[in-house]
Amino acid sequence: MANDGVKDPVNTGRRRFLTATTAVVGAVGVGFAAVPFIKSWNPSARAKLAGAPVTADISALQEGQRLIMEWRGQPIWVVKRSKAILAALPLLDSRLRDPMSKNLDQQPDYVLKANPELRSIKPEISVLVGLCTHLGCAPEMAAEIKPEPYDPEWKGGYFCPCHKSRFDMAGRVFQGVPAPTNLVVPPHHYADDNTIIIGVDPQGGA
């Protein structure tokens, strides 16, 4: 035929257009396919609930203040204690059910190495799971050393209004209240002086 071997310029242009369009659509498709994969690199809600670590900057935390975080669906309290509070803690031992934290299920070993009465890695920073060990209520923090209706010799601590359980500023439970054990200290460590990581033991920690 007369046109054998001759390319129709219109068909060539159309072919290029289709080829380019196919390439663009293919690239867009790869982009959409990649979105769920990239998202999977971030901790999912299930992973966080299962115990993914939680990090916080505590550089702005002042004495008597509490930072509330969430780990494994539980409230975590990070509190900066004053020197007066730290000095008062040993004075409460005779009023507490487990003053030396002998119930080892309530805290990691490494928080007791320096001082069992403080129950903390850093003396001034307390880290507790904010759930009463009686029925899981949320105690109120009353950090001031002053008489309270529920304790005229109050040295600061946590009071659960639901069933009247009381804990000191180290989370140690008082005698004669419904709560059977001290508040739980979660696994944690410090990445540096101002950064706390909840959910991971320090290197070499038990």
Side-chain angles (χ1 to χ4, degrees), residues 35-201:
V35 170
F37 179 67
I38 293 171
K39 282 186 177 180
S40 71
W41 296 343
N42 297 321
S44 64
R46 174 180 283 185
K48 290 179 180 178
L49 192 61
V54 180
T55 302
D57 181 349
I58 59 171
S59 60
L61 197 62
Q62 302 296 312
E63 286 188 357
Q65 287 186 335
R66 173 175 55 175
L67 172 65
I68 301 178
M69 307 163 63
E70 182 179 354
W71 175 69
R72 288 188 172 180
Q74 304 173 103
I76 304 298
W77 297 342
V78 181
V79 178
K80 188 167 185 178
R81 301 178 289 201
S82 67
K83 291 181 179 179
I85 289 291
L86 294 176
L89 288 175
L91 305 178
L92 295 170
D93 287 4
S94 62
R95 303 180 61 196
L96 304 175
R97 180 169 291 164
D98 184 13
M100 301 308 290
S101 301
K102 292 182 178 180
N103 185 338
L104 300 181
D105 292 336
Q106 300 309 111
Q107 65 281 309
D109 290 343
Y110 50 82
V111 304
L112 301 179
K113 287 182 179 179
N115 191 327
E117 294 168 319
L118 300 185
R119 302 181 79 219
S120 60
I121 298 174
K122 290 178 178 286
E124 71 278 14
I125 303 295
S126 171
V127 183
L128 299 168
V129 175
L131 296 174
C132 180
T133 54
H134 177 220
L135 293 176
C137 303
E140 299 174 351
M141 186 173 81
E144 293 185 60
I145 300 177
K146 65 175 186 177
E148 295 286 355
Y150 45 81
D151 190 338
E153 298 181 9
W154 189 245
K155 303 298 182 185
Y158 306 96
F159 174 69
C160 186
C162 301
H163 303 97
K164 314 304 180 187
S165 290
R166 289 172 289 141
F167 307 85
D168 71 359
M169 286 300 290
R172 300 178 299 171
V173 67
F174 279 74
Q175 297 176 10
V177 301
T181 57
N182 296 341
L183 296 178
V184 174
V185 177
H188 65 282
H189 73 280
Y190 296 87
D192 54 49
D193 288 342
N194 296 319
T195 307
I196 189 169
I197 301 177
I198 307 297
V200 179
D201 295 320

Side-chain angles (χ1 to χ4, degrees), residues 3-23:
N3 289 334
D4 284 350
V6 177
K7 295 181 180 178
D8 187 336
V10 176
N11 290 340
T12 301
R14 186 176 183 181
R15 188 178 297 111
R16 287 175 180 168
F17 171 76
L18 291 174
T19 301
T21 303
T22 302

